[in-house]
Amino acid sequence: MHIGVLTVPLGDESLDDALDYLAGIGVDAVEIGCGGYPGDDHLDRGELLDDEAAQAAFRETLDQHDLAVSALATHNNPLHPDPERADRDDRELREAIELAGQLDVDAVTCFSGLPSGSPEGAVPNWITAPWPTEHAEALDYQWELAVDYWSDIAAFADEHGVDVAIEMHPNMLVYEPTGMVRLREETGERIGANFDPSHLYWQDIDVCEAIRYLGEHDAIHHVHAKDTRIYDHHADVKGVLDTTDYADTAERSWLFRSIGYGHGEEHWKDVVSTLRMVGYEGALSIEHEDALTSSREGLEKAVDVLSRAVFATEPGDAYWAE
């Protein structure tokens, strides 16, 4: 198992400087944005795609710091009701998949996307209840679009030998484990989860049970290491569907937190152990989005906790049971 980092918080630094810093604090792998919301500060997709010389230079930079790439990231909305947005986001995703294949990177991380609630809609519509009944009808419409689109992407990804790791995220069609498994079963095995527990904590989903459930379906392609803290003095009054600005930290029901500041080290050891139980041995890619600390401090504290939680060796034989 490897400690990884999504490099977006270090986007104001060169790739070489960012990798030098990350290697120095004990990071083994990086997830690099190449489009969508993560941006492309450290990897210009257009420059590297189909360019063997540029790809060789990119690999050399990574090798100099003894770092691997766990995934390319291009989180966006290819199901957006605006055709121009959808076409742009679809192109970004497909090019990221192509590039990942050329770089021998196993996965591309992304979102499921979210359509409008009808063919006439202009704004993505997150449906959270089946009543009034037009909401259930809108959800059926959204799933028809999603299954058609992601079936095509699954086939495209298979051609390039790449897994598509979808982050379960509120305000996207797939935001919890049963929806993730449904999309996988209706589209193909190349579609799976970028398992980010932070979005599950505030939905009151048991993260270790979610890992077990997804593991039963071989549905975990990549993992984000990111924490969340619920602040009950607000949540007990207004719940967790909180539209308070993320920067207004003192008034929110929940905040994304650095590893260890939402749940303790013992919990993260359980998360790592459960991932191993279901056969996941890839990177735990730290995604820093803690508004209460700087990027570097948040990353360093997360690495500190995970360094004591992850397993560095393969399991031994159960000699005591022989």
Side-chain angles (χ1 to χ4, degrees):
M1 224 172 264
H2 309 290
I3 297 175
V5 164
L6 175 61
T7 67
V8 172
L10 305 174
D12 60 344
E13 304 178 28
S14 70
L15 176 63
D16 189 61
D17 287 346
L19 297 182
D20 185 63
Y21 163 70
L22 293 173
I25 63 171
V27 171
D28 306 308
V30 286
E31 177 186 0
I32 303 183
C34 66
Y37 294 111
D40 59 0
D41 288 328
H42 290 145
L43 197 163
D44 187 318
R45 192 180 66 253
E47 286 187 3
L48 266 70
L49 190 61
D50 298 323
D51 189 326
E52 293 184 3
Q55 291 173 20
F58 176 72
R59 288 192 187 93
E60 183 178 356
T61 301
L62 290 160
D63 290 344
Q64 287 172 353
H65 300 284
D66 197 24
L67 288 169
V69 178
S70 66
L72 302 185
T74 177
H75 297 67
N76 53 29
N77 186 3
L79 300 180
H80 199 285
D82 180 341
E84 290 187 7
R85 285 276 302 275
D87 288 348
R88 181 199 68 193
D89 290 357
D90 173 66
R91 183 177 65 256
E92 286 181 342
L93 176 60
R94 289 177 188 271
E95 289 178 355
I97 291 169
E98 285 188 81
L99 181 57
Q102 293 172 7
L103 291 171
D104 295 321
V105 173
D106 293 336
V108 168
T109 55
C110 58
F111 292 140
S112 66
L114 184 68
S116 64
S118 71
E120 298 78 23
V123 177
N125 189 347
W126 187 37
I127 308 295
T128 59
W131 187 90
T133 55
E134 59 260 42
H135 292 273
E137 293 167 0
L139 188 59
D140 288 341
Y141 165 77
Q142 291 178 326
W143 271 97
E144 288 177 9
L145 291 182
V147 169
D148 181 63
Y149 177 77
W150 288 105
S151 294
D152 188 51
I153 290 293
F156 182 79
D158 193 54
E159 291 175 6
H160 295 278
V162 174
D163 288 330
V164 177
I166 291 175
E167 189 171 330
M168 297 171 286
H169 197 296
N171 283 322
M172 294 290 164
L173 182 63
V174 172
Y175 59 93
E176 47 76 34
T178 66
M180 183 71 259
V181 168
R182 175 183 175 182
L183 188 66
R184 176 177 172 84
E185 290 180 341
E186 295 191 30
T187 59
E189 293 183 355
R190 285 294 181 182
I191 304 300
N194 176 33
F195 187 86
D196 186 328
S198 68
H199 305 296
L200 306 184
Y201 289 129
W202 66 266
Q203 296 182 67
D204 199 27
I205 293 172
D206 185 303
V207 163
C208 288
E209 289 303 314
I211 292 169
R212 290 180 183 275
Y213 175 77
L214 291 169
E216 290 171 1
H217 297 273
D218 295 323
I220 301 177
H221 289 332
H222 192 259
V223 172
H224 270 179
K226 182 173 154 195
D227 216 336
T228 293
R229 174 69 184 270
I230 305 293
Y231 294 93
D232 290 334
H233 58 288
H234 289 311
D236 287 348
V237 175
K238 61 179 177 177
V240 295
L241 296 178
D242 192 349
T243 57
T244 305
D245 192 284
Y246 282 103
D248 195 0
T249 56
E251 299 303 318
R252 284 189 55 79
S253 295
W254 58 269
L255 292 172
F256 294 132
R257 298 305 315 274
S258 300
I259 298 297
Y261 282 80
H263 298 78
E265 186 171 318
E266 181 179 357
H267 170 78
W268 280 97
K269 288 178 177 178
D270 285 343
V271 169
V272 167
S273 297
T274 308
L275 285 166
R276 171 158 279 191
M277 287 178 189
V278 302
Y280 182 80
E281 293 290 353
L284 278 70
S285 184
I286 298 164
E287 183 182 23
H288 173 82
E289 292 183 349
D290 188 337
L292 298 181
T293 186
S294 66
S295 296
R296 286 201 171 207
E297 184 176 16
L299 291 173
E300 289 166 16
K301 290 183 181 299
V303 170
D304 178 57
V305 173
L306 288 181
S307 67
R308 293 188 297 276
V310 298
F311 298 107
T313 61
E314 295 292 327
D317 295 330
Y319 60 86
W320 56 91
E322 296 175 354

